[in-house]
Amino acid sequence: MNETQSNVCFVTLGCAKNEVDTNNMKQLVLDAGYSIVEDPEAAQAVVINTCTFIQSATEESIDSIFELAGLPSVSNGEAKLIIAGCMPARYGSDLEDELTEADAFLPCAQEKNIVDLLNNLIGPAKANEPLDDQALCHAASQYVKISDGCNRFCSYCTIPYIRGRYHSFTYEQIRKDVVTALSRGAGEIVLIAQDTGRWGDDFEEPLSLAWLMDSLASEFKETWFRVMYLQPEGITDELLQVIAKHKNICSYLDIPLQHVDEQILKAMNRKGSEEEFVALIEHIKEVIPDVTLRTTLIAGFPGETDEQFEALCDFVDEGYFDYVGVFAYSQEDGTRAAKLEDQIDEDEKNDRAQRVRDLADAVCIPRVAERVGQTVQVLIEGIEEDGQLFGRAQCQAPEVDGVIYVEDAEIGSIVNVTITDTLLYEMEGELVNE
């Protein structure tokens, strides 16, 4: 253990929103003079930022907690274990009774208090001055949260109970976070939230996501901007026009439909129907002809009949989307859907989800192959362990849509690449000599 500094290790589970929260905590810790280390066995405090969105995420969080609790430094009390994020937010005092291995709990809403908590557990930082920020994200693509919480209360979802009611972050805060990310080498800013399309409607003088993106893209012209988690209701003509207007806004929309059957959607406490979604997709493509579309679907929701499931399969088979994420319905305690009758057997849910995935692959993989011969701009992100350089085009969101492998380019640069080959969702390309 370093005797001149107080070392803190962060372990992050779950989605990109958790990554942003961890980065914010890291910044507070660094500003207070603590040192951040990657090895939990070299730390005086280990902070695990947990996820409990669905049962499998909860199980992963619990397994990781037990793994960290079993480290010699933690089990003998030399290092303190802090459980942060969604688990303490969702389960509250019940978690404290069940997970006695932890020394403290830090719910999402209290993560700004991380320094006070560390002061109490391991004492004030021993470093004489704030340390550098090399432990923070310096990736070519970085996430910026524009709001937190959710007011939708979808019947299957725990987010409103974990994150609370929807609240937009101010433009000034978002811009500050963008500037910080750019100072750390970002070439792409990915705007995220539980419900990005609602940004600004809770202000005393309401603003819109379209206004936010137009403002950012106009000021930071050399930076790519991408928006994720955009509910169908949030796709306005104003937003589509802004995306079409700016070359540095990715022509890419992530629209989590979850299902297409109107009755299933009502049971999910969501709006829409297959007819409405098809009309929306057609309108989007009229305004942004080169748009790339992603969606997320849930198979095996309680009461989903064979006919309703087949309608979902037929919709996917129509090929409206370039990328499709599929989840088997997860029965989450505390949600209304968990109490619905006609819960579907686990094996059947998983079988249905896999069938939708297979249909999606059959449609989407050939669409990726159609890009061979096209020349696209690629943001160079990094190097694989085998030395292969990779990046992404605007048609690929981070972590979910594959990458493009190239040679001889500088990390962080945006270069023109001609696609030469594809393998499933991955692509290969050659630099275009300028």
Side-chain angles (χ1 to χ4, degrees):
M1 192 85 68
N2 189 323
E3 297 181 356
T4 63
Q5 296 176 354
S6 300
N7 296 335
V8 183
C9 175
F10 286 86
V11 177
T12 305
L13 304 175
C15 67
K17 293 177 283 291
N18 268 14
E19 293 179 21
V20 174
D21 293 342
T22 293
N23 223 42
N24 291 338
M25 286 192 285
K26 284 182 176 181
Q27 185 65 69
L28 293 171
V29 165
L30 288 169
D31 289 344
Y34 292 92
S35 177
I36 295 176
V37 294
E38 294 186 6
D39 182 4
E41 296 191 69
Q44 290 174 289
V46 181
V47 182
I48 177 169
N49 194 0
T50 57
C51 176
T52 60
F53 179 57
I54 56 176
Q55 183 178 349
S56 60
T58 302
E59 292 171 353
E60 180 186 6
S61 292
I62 292 172
D63 289 344
S64 298
I65 289 168
F66 286 150
E67 182 179 350
L68 292 171
L71 295 175
S73 59
V74 176
S75 60
N76 66 21
E78 181 180 355
K80 304 299 182 182
L81 179 60
I82 301 170
I83 299 178
C86 295
M87 282 192 73
R90 180 176 179 182
Y91 297 110
S93 58
D94 291 342
L95 194 66
E96 299 178 20
D97 297 334
E98 295 294 330
L99 290 176
T100 57
E101 295 83 358
D103 295 284
F105 298 87
L106 192 65
C108 307
Q110 299 177 23
E111 288 174 348
K112 61 183 179 296
N113 300 325
I114 180 65
V115 171
D116 290 339
L117 183 57
L118 290 172
N119 285 344
N120 292 332
L121 289 177
I122 65 176
K126 294 179 182 179
N128 294 323
E129 58 185 26
L131 303 171
D132 65 42
D133 67 354
Q134 289 306 305
L136 299 172
C137 179
H138 285 74
S141 176
Q142 296 183 37
Y143 296 100
V144 169
K145 281 176 67 173
I146 63 173
S147 67
D148 207 354
C150 186
N151 290 352
R152 289 185 176 275
F153 288 92
C154 297
S155 65
Y156 54 83
C157 184
T158 60
I159 291 297
Y161 311 104
I162 296 171
R163 294 281 178 174
R165 292 302 181 95
Y166 187 91
H167 56 281
S168 301
F169 298 162
T170 66
Y171 174 73
E172 291 75 19
Q173 180 60 56
I174 294 168
R175 184 187 179 282
K176 178 182 176 182
D177 291 343
V178 168
V179 170
T180 298
L182 296 181
S183 73
R184 294 176 182 150
E188 175 187 48
I189 301 296
V190 184
L191 303 178
I192 57 171
Q194 277 75 28
D195 189 354
T196 49
R198 287 203 55 188
W199 183 86
D201 71 359
D202 55 337
F203 292 151
E204 186 173 342
E205 296 183 8
L207 293 171
S208 68
L209 177 64
W211 179 90
L212 173 65
M213 298 194 72
D214 187 43
S215 300
L216 293 173
S218 296
E219 180 176 0
F220 305 101
K221 291 182 170 60
E222 303 304 316
T223 303
W224 287 3
F225 288 92
R226 184 188 304 272
V227 61
M228 301 292 289
Y229 316 122
L230 186 61
Q231 300 294 337
E233 300 91 328
I235 301 174
T236 64
D237 282 338
E238 181 189 15
L239 178 62
L240 295 178
Q241 293 293 343
V242 166
I243 294 173
K245 168 185 170 183
H246 292 280
K247 291 184 179 180
N248 61 325
I249 296 181
C250 298
S251 298
Y252 181 106
L253 291 175
D254 168 43
I255 314 169
L257 300 181
Q258 310 304 2
H259 212 282
V260 296
D261 180 83
E262 190 170 3
Q263 294 305 311
I264 291 291
L265 288 165
K266 285 181 179 178
M268 290 178 168
N269 195 35
R270 295 177 63 84
K271 298 178 181 179
S273 66
E274 180 173 354
E275 293 76 16
E276 292 177 45
F277 293 155
V278 170
L280 175 63
I281 292 165
E282 290 176 348
H283 180 59
I284 292 170
K285 292 183 176 181
E286 287 176 0
V287 181
I288 314 172
D290 63 342
V291 70
T292 299
L293 297 177
R294 161 175 277 277
T295 194
T296 305
L297 302 171
I298 296 175
F301 189 81
E304 181 186 61
T305 64
D306 290 343
E307 183 180 6
Q308 290 167 327
F309 174 67
E310 290 300 329
L312 181 65
C313 292
D314 291 343
F315 178 80
V316 172
D317 198 41
E318 287 293 328
Y320 296 112
F321 288 87
D322 299 274
Y323 300 100
V324 179
V326 185
F327 293 90
Y329 164 73
S330 180
Q331 187 176 8
E332 296 298 316
D333 291 339
T335 63
R336 283 174 289 168
K339 300 176 183 179
L340 292 176
E341 297 180 357
D342 299 324
Q343 298 285 331
I344 296 174
D345 176 80
E346 289 294 325
D347 288 341
E348 176 64 20
K349 288 190 295 187
N350 290 329
D351 286 346
R352 290 187 182 188
Q354 189 57 53
R355 182 179 166 195
V356 179
R357 290 189 195 103
D358 292 342
L359 284 169
D361 287 344
V363 170
C364 299
I365 290 174
R367 185 164 295 178
V368 174
E370 292 174 1
R371 295 175 181 154
V372 171
Q374 295 180 7
T375 297
V376 296
Q377 285 193 319
V378 175
L379 172 66
I380 305 301
E381 290 195 282
I383 302 175
E384 301 276 19
E385 291 183 2
D386 62 0
Q388 179 67 62
L389 198 67
F390 68 91
R392 283 180 301 102
Q394 289 195 3
C395 62
Q396 297 169 297
E399 303 176 47
V400 291
D401 296 336
V403 297
I404 299 174
Y405 293 103
V406 298
E407 295 181 357
D408 301 325
E410 182 180 350
I411 294 176
S413 64
I414 296 176
V415 296
N416 291 321
V417 172
T418 299
I419 305 302
T420 58
D421 198 6
T422 64
L423 177 62
L424 301 178
Y425 291 98
E426 313 290 356
M427 294 184 273
E428 294 181 1
E430 294 180 351
L431 295 181
V432 175
N433 295 322
E434 299 179 358

